[in-house]
Amino acid sequence: MSVTIDIAGLPDERIAFAPSPLAELCMALHALSQPAHHPGLSSWTTATAAGLDPCLADRLLEGDFMWRGSFADIFMPFAGIPGGTGLPAPTLAEELDVLDRLDDERFVMAALEHCWLALYNEGGGPSPLRDPRARAKALETAAARGPRQLEFSARLLDDTAAVRVWLRRLLEDCDEAFFAQTWKRIEPRQSADARHKTEVLRRKGLATALKEVSAALSVDDAHTTITVDKMVTGNATATDPRIGDGLVFVPTNFGWPHLLVLHAPGWRPVVRYPLDSPELAPAPGSVELLQRRMEALAHPMRMMLCRSLARAPYTTSELATVYGITAPEVSRHLAVLKKAGLLHTRRQGRYAQHQLDLSAVARIGSDFIEGILR
């Protein structure tokens, strides 16, 4: 499994390394909502969460599925503007201006990315702003996640303009509350890393530059295809005439262990790569429990299920749809994971939602948690 990026005919000067304040704000919000994904950031997440104004914290909950379980492409709007530069802007305000330029259909489809996980490579299908069946499916999927998700999705579809204003104001308030100070501290290192990798690309070539980004990246001998080793299958092209050519690598201080690839049709591909790779401290556990867990994770489908369940809670039917297997098959796999102590299940109205216990997974080792969260 991997994500491939077609770069045939793309000149090196159209491959860029650049920080993105809006993309990094997304990663910061993700770290706040999923601190278990980022043990190396515990000091920052604890202090920042404790200092949040309660009203701002409540507002963040209204749309947190855009950065909690998935990373909505709206946080990289520079990749979705046909004929644009395809590059991030230097300031958050300028990137929010670019976000305002996304047309409503792109904005809505990207904001509801969690509803289209099984169709991401196809662009999510018909627009819910135009197609009644797509709208009904989006609301049905949101309802399975919870009442907040359903309420937000309905607002987004009924009054897209108002939600766009709401989101921009929310992100501006986050900037004022904590992100501006954080970005001032981390931006110089990101810019330095981007300059360094640009120079490596110029002097030593793409293959060497990719190795410096991540061991999960490689390019074929003909320099026509970049392969990203991830537990997901997808493809993108860096020379799409609908949007313009280009490929951007965006560094992140908040990203480890996530190596993210924007590969939606009609968007320029973007790779977000982490600058840090902290080690996880081992914790003691019985040999019998370890054996159950290793046996549970030995099955390739259960590994795939873990990838989704590590990011967000899912129902059995959602997982069946995403992976193209029957609900009883999903239930059997989930039962094995639960017996191994790797899974939590909770009721959300009439839905039973399952999620991976990341604290238990972390005890297995950093290689596994990095693999499923990459």
Side-chain angles (χ1 to χ4, degrees):
M1 291 176 289
S2 61
V3 177
T4 60
I5 303 173
D6 183 355
I7 59 168
L10 184 72
D12 282 355
E13 55 265 26
R14 293 298 297 158
I15 299 175
F17 295 87
S20 166
L22 182 55
E24 190 70 334
L25 175 53
C26 172
M27 298 306 298
L29 291 174
H30 169 75
L32 285 173
S33 64
Q34 293 278 37
H37 285 197
H38 307 276
L41 297 173
S42 58
S43 296
W44 183 88
T45 55
T46 300
T48 302
L52 280 182
D53 177 83
C55 291
L56 178 57
D58 287 342
R59 289 162 60 203
L60 286 171
L61 289 175
E62 293 182 47
D64 74 343
F65 54 85
M66 289 187 288
W67 53 78
R68 182 180 177 87
S70 60
F71 303 89
D73 292 341
I74 56 173
F75 290 96
M76 292 177 285
F78 57 87
I81 303 293
T85 67
L87 296 172
T91 68
L92 181 64
E94 289 173 284
E95 289 215 285
L96 291 175
D97 289 342
V98 176
L99 177 59
D100 288 342
R101 291 169 51 200
L102 278 182
D103 64 65
D104 281 350
E105 289 196 7
R106 280 179 183 265
F107 180 90
V108 167
M109 291 295 285
L112 293 180
E113 184 177 313
H114 72 289
C115 296
W116 322 114
L117 292 178
L119 298 173
Y120 185 87
N121 289 327
E122 288 77 39
S127 168
L129 292 178
R130 294 174 176 266
D131 187 292
R133 287 179 295 182
R135 173 190 169 90
K137 181 62 178 177
L139 294 178
E140 178 186 352
T141 303
R145 299 295 177 84
R148 286 188 297 103
Q149 290 88 333
L150 176 59
E151 180 184 358
F152 178 88
S153 300
R155 282 173 51 209
L156 179 63
L157 295 173
D158 291 337
D159 194 348
T160 305
V163 173
R164 297 184 72 147
V165 171
W166 172 86
L167 179 61
R168 173 159 186 154
R169 183 162 298 174
L170 174 66
L171 298 176
E172 289 172 338
D173 288 347
C174 288
D175 188 47
E176 182 178 350
F178 65 87
F179 185 70
Q181 182 178 1
T182 299
W183 182 245
K184 183 178 180 180
R185 174 173 56 84
I186 65 177
E187 185 276 334
R189 183 183 174 205
Q190 291 192 11
S191 293
D193 183 83
R195 289 192 298 270
H196 168 71
K197 288 183 171 58
T198 300
E199 189 66 10
V200 171
L201 174 64
R202 187 179 70 86
R203 290 180 175 273
K204 299 183 179 180
L206 180 60
T208 302
L210 293 179
K211 286 181 181 179
E212 292 214 3
V213 171
S214 170
L217 291 169
S218 61
V219 64
D220 64 330
D221 292 338
H223 280 213
T224 61
T225 305
I226 292 175
T227 300
V228 187
D229 181 23
K230 287 174 64 72
M231 290 182 61
V232 63
T233 300
N235 55 79
T237 177
T239 56
D240 188 339
R242 295 173 297 174
I243 189 73
D245 61 359
L247 170 62
V248 182
F249 292 86
V250 176
T252 168
N253 287 78
F254 287 91
W256 188 90
H258 308 298
L259 178 66
L260 305 175
V261 184
L262 190 168
H263 57 279
W267 292 62
R268 289 183 180 88
V270 180
V271 178
R272 270 192 283 183
Y273 62 94
L275 294 179
D276 296 302
S277 300
E279 292 296 325
L280 295 172
S286 71
V287 174
E288 181 183 356
L289 178 61
L290 177 61
Q291 181 178 352
R292 283 203 306 270
R293 289 177 172 173
M294 298 304 290
E295 289 173 351
L297 296 170
H299 194 287
M301 179 51 68
R302 288 195 284 273
M303 286 279 286
M304 293 294 294
L305 293 173
C306 284
R307 182 182 187 278
S308 293
L309 296 169
R311 287 163 167 76
Y314 283 89
T315 65
T316 300
S317 60
E318 286 179 309
L319 292 169
T321 299
V322 169
Y323 292 105
I325 60 178
T326 66
E329 287 180 283
V330 173
S331 295
R332 287 193 290 272
H333 287 305
L334 295 180
V336 174
L337 292 171
K338 195 166 187 178
K339 185 176 180 181
L342 298 173
L343 201 67
H344 291 309
T345 299
R346 65 183 179 90
R347 300 295 304 185
Q348 179 70 55
R350 62 191 177 94
Y351 301 99
Q353 296 183 324
H354 314 282
Q355 189 163 23
L356 204 65
D357 183 347
L358 284 174
S359 62
V361 170
R363 297 188 185 104
I364 297 173
S366 61
D367 285 350
F368 178 74
I369 198 170
E370 182 174 2
I372 61 172
L373 290 176
R374 180 187 295 163

